[in-house]
Amino acid sequence: MNGLFSSYTYHPFCLILLFSGALASGLLGSVRRRRVGEGGNDLLLFLWCVAHWSFASALECAAATVSLKLFWAQVAYPAAVSCPVFFFLFATRYASISGFPPRNWIPLLFVLPSITVFFALTHTRRHGLWLAVTLQKGTSLALYEQGPWFIVHVTYSYALLVLGTILLVRRAMRVSPHFLPQASVLIAGSLAPLVVNAAYVFGKSGAPRPDGTPVAYLFSGLMLATGIYRFGILDLVPVARSLLVETMPDGVLVLDPRGVIVDLNPAMATILGRKREEVFGASAKDTFRDWRGSFRFFEGEENRLTEVEHILPQGEKATFDVQVSTLRDRRSGS
């Protein structure tokens, strides 16, 4: 037992990684208790990968021998290569890109990460990911000399992070200014891993140094958690999308508890005479200000059916049957 503990040298950064893993695990449990849509499921997997990566990296950082460092790096890499993929999938769901990527294409996103894991696990026979792993004399820090596949791995991971960030920015530009705080939180969280990892990989110093990327990904998780609990970012994702049929002739509108429009189908956009992106994030009270007797119908939680009158953009007077239904959260009971 003493020999086991003597194989590890714990220092402050190891404790930071352990704390990051514990915090990511706590976030995972907290988010899991909330009702989430598809984007939320990707977020759960993202947080699981961050926790796994942080714990394994803490042990890799503390390991005092090359063999132990290589072992824990191999344990960490499946989660490390999956973080950018799950972040990208979350971004596509959040940006409301319907049908992208197709479900049968999602496994293709893991092809290159799987090859990266293969090279990590077979390092002693193949040196595609790392050419050599050496300890810096007098320390427990290791230098991983980059192999030819490492550049492919880094390029692919950065591409997913950049594409995910672009999707979040585009989403932010399409919605109301009311959502700028949420968008800022998401963008800050998406850029952190990219900046920290680039500094680690392409830093000018050739000396071994700790990889702070797991902590940066934890920062991303914290930003997303802040958005969930402070701003309700998952409320902006059309969680009722699976219940809506894009081609149905009836107009469908989804409001969050604050009375903000978070989704609508093309038929409703036609009725309103506005583009969908112009309506996203708008207040229902303002949108239906000219609809006689309509907005009071959105107040309260009862399911109701009534008629309202409105002058269409073409100048014609029309009467609409309006039905209001409350979507309830089974987990929270609200």
Side-chain angles (χ1 to χ4, degrees):
M1 184 66 69
N2 289 335
L4 175 63
F5 285 103
S6 65
S7 299
Y8 294 88
T9 303
Y10 296 95
H11 46 82
F13 192 73
C14 300
L15 298 179
I16 292 175
L17 289 170
L18 287 173
F19 177 75
S20 297
L23 190 54
S25 299
L27 286 174
L28 174 63
S30 179
V31 173
R32 187 175 180 274
R33 288 191 291 270
R34 295 179 63 91
R35 182 180 184 276
V36 294
E38 286 186 290
N41 293 332
D42 295 318
L43 177 58
L44 291 175
L45 291 170
F46 171 78
L47 288 173
W48 183 88
C49 289
V50 172
H52 178 107
W53 188 6
S54 296
F55 284 131
S57 293
L59 293 170
E60 185 276 337
C61 185
T65 65
V66 171
S67 59
L68 274 177
K69 284 190 173 295
L70 182 59
F71 170 77
W72 287 115
Q74 292 169 335
V75 171
Y77 249 76
V81 300
S82 298
C83 279
V85 178
F86 288 123
F87 174 82
F88 173 74
L89 290 174
F90 170 80
T92 60
R93 304 289 194 262
Y94 180 83
S96 305
I97 301 180
S98 180
F100 178 81
R103 288 189 177 274
N104 57 342
W105 284 22
I106 291 178
L108 297 179
L109 293 174
F110 289 92
V111 171
L112 292 182
S114 297
I115 296 174
T116 301
V117 172
F118 171 77
F119 278 125
L121 295 177
T122 60
H123 168 71
T124 55
R125 298 190 300 274
R126 301 173 180 83
H127 302 285
L129 187 61
W130 306 302
L131 295 178
V133 181
T134 56
L135 282 178
Q136 184 183 34
K137 188 176 181 179
T139 73
S140 61
L141 297 177
L143 176 63
Y144 292 83
E145 187 177 349
Q146 301 169 7
W149 184 259
F150 187 86
I151 301 302
V152 177
H153 157 60
V154 168
T155 301
Y156 181 68
S157 299
Y158 288 2
L160 291 178
L161 290 173
V162 170
L163 287 174
T165 303
I166 291 173
L167 292 176
L168 296 177
V169 172
R170 286 185 59 191
R171 172 68 172 176
M173 294 176 63
R174 288 173 51 194
V175 299
S176 165
H178 294 98
F179 292 161
L180 288 181
Q182 295 94 317
S184 300
V185 164
L186 289 171
I187 293 168
S190 64
L191 290 178
L194 188 63
V195 173
V196 172
N197 187 260
Y200 170 75
V201 172
F202 301 108
K204 293 182 179 181
S205 173
R209 57 195 183 280
D211 183 3
T213 309
V215 180
Y217 271 112
L218 173 64
F219 176 77
S220 296
L222 287 172
M223 290 297 96
L224 294 174
T226 300
I228 290 171
Y229 292 107
R230 175 65 178 84
F231 297 116
I233 60 171
L234 292 184
D235 296 336
L236 306 185
V237 181
V239 295
R241 173 60 65 192
S242 59
L243 304 177
L244 304 180
V245 181
E246 288 291 290
T247 57
M248 67 186 302
D250 297 326
V252 179
L253 192 72
V254 181
L255 306 181
D256 70 3
R258 298 164 294 178
V260 174
I261 298 173
V262 296
D263 205 6
L264 72 160
N265 67 346
M268 178 57 76
T270 300
I271 293 173
L272 294 174
R274 300 171 63 183
K275 295 181 179 179
R276 295 175 69 180
E277 54 267 27
E278 296 175 350
V279 183
F280 282 131
S283 164
K285 184 174 183 179
D286 294 335
T287 302
F288 292 91
R289 186 180 302 276
D290 298 330
W291 289 59
R292 181 179 303 173
S294 63
F295 184 73
R296 69 172 184 272
F297 206 64
F298 296 123
E299 298 176 335
E301 297 185 353
E302 301 84 7
N303 295 333
R304 288 149 297 183
L305 177 65
T306 190
E307 291 184 351
V308 296
E309 295 181 351
H310 181 60
I311 305 298
L312 297 177
Q314 299 83 0
E316 301 176 357
K317 182 178 180 180
T319 301
F320 296 90
D321 292 325
V322 178
Q323 180 173 351
V324 177
S325 300
T326 302
L327 300 178
R328 296 192 177 277
D329 188 336
R330 293 182 181 179
R331 294 187 183 182
S332 66
S334 60

